[in-house]
Amino acid sequence: VLEDQALLAENKCKLAEEHSAELMRGKEEKEVLAKALEMQMQELARARQADALRSSREIESATLEDMKARKSAEDALESERSVRKEAQHQLQLVQLQLTQAQARIEQLEASVALGVERERQVEHRAARAESQVSEVRSTNVSLLAKVSGLEMMAS
């Protein structure tokens, strides 16, 4: 019985040692797995950080490009406004020149009308003068005839 108990105790001891060895192996495996998991988590954290940095740079680049595009659009708009303002100024100058030209044309037309009126008056005066000259000639012819008649009578 003692031998059986000794054998049983020895078997229990071996089982306890085997169980202890399995527990140690399990503990070592857990540590290895825990280290592997920790390394994977660190690697994932680095990957996330790299992704976040890349995204930040992409956003920054896109924002910079947007700012450049906006600045370019603002410059183009300012240039267009300047061109429009200059065109409006040129249009006002042309309109002023046109108004001045129309006023000058009206002055010239009035001057021509005045010249035509004066020419008509001169022609009228010339016709009256010719009529008067004709009357004077007629009177002269009549007077010459009378003088001739008187001279003939006197002789």
Side-chain angles (χ1 to χ4, degrees):
V1 172
L2 276 174
E3 253 181 53
D4 282 341
Q5 285 182 347
L7 256 171
L8 195 66
E10 199 178 303
N11 279 342
K12 282 185 181 180
C13 198
K14 281 183 185 177
L15 274 173
E17 285 177 2
E18 285 176 10
H19 185 66
S20 177
E22 280 183 37
L23 286 175
M24 287 300 264
R25 279 192 300 268
K27 186 178 176 185
E28 288 174 358
E29 285 178 11
K30 278 184 181 179
E31 287 176 2
V32 167
L33 288 174
K35 283 185 182 180
L37 182 60
E38 187 178 331
M39 288 175 68
Q40 283 181 343
M41 288 174 60
Q42 288 175 353
E43 192 174 316
L44 281 173
R46 281 192 292 270
R48 282 187 195 143
Q49 190 176 14
D51 284 347
L53 184 60
R54 190 174 352 172
S55 293
S56 174
R57 286 185 181 154
E58 287 174 358
I59 289 170
E60 186 177 301
S61 175
T63 302
L64 186 59
E65 288 174 12
D66 288 346
M67 288 172 61
K68 286 179 182 176
R70 190 175 302 126
K71 175 70 172 135
S72 179
E74 287 172 357
D75 289 348
L77 182 61
E78 185 61 32
S79 176
E80 182 182 337
R81 284 180 184 153
S82 176
V83 167
R84 275 189 186 171
K85 188 176 181 180
E86 180 61 28
Q88 286 176 338
H89 179 69
Q90 290 297 325
L91 178 61
Q92 288 173 344
L93 285 176
V94 167
Q95 287 173 336
L96 178 62
Q97 290 172 344
L98 178 61
T99 302
Q100 290 173 342
Q102 287 173 335
R104 182 68 181 141
I105 289 170
E106 289 171 4
Q107 286 176 344
L108 291 173
E109 286 174 345
S111 180
V112 166
L114 185 61
V116 167
E117 177 60 24
R118 286 183 181 162
E119 184 178 343
R120 190 189 62 73
Q121 288 174 355
V122 166
E123 287 174 356
H124 178 71
R125 286 181 194 149
R128 216 174 51 202
E130 284 178 23
S131 172
Q132 288 174 349
V133 165
S134 217
E135 284 178 25
V136 167
R137 282 188 187 148
S138 172
T139 303
N140 282 346
V141 168
S142 174
L143 287 174
L144 281 175
K146 285 182 184 177
V147 168
S148 274
L150 286 176
E151 285 178 348
M152 282 181 138
M153 283 175 53
S155 16

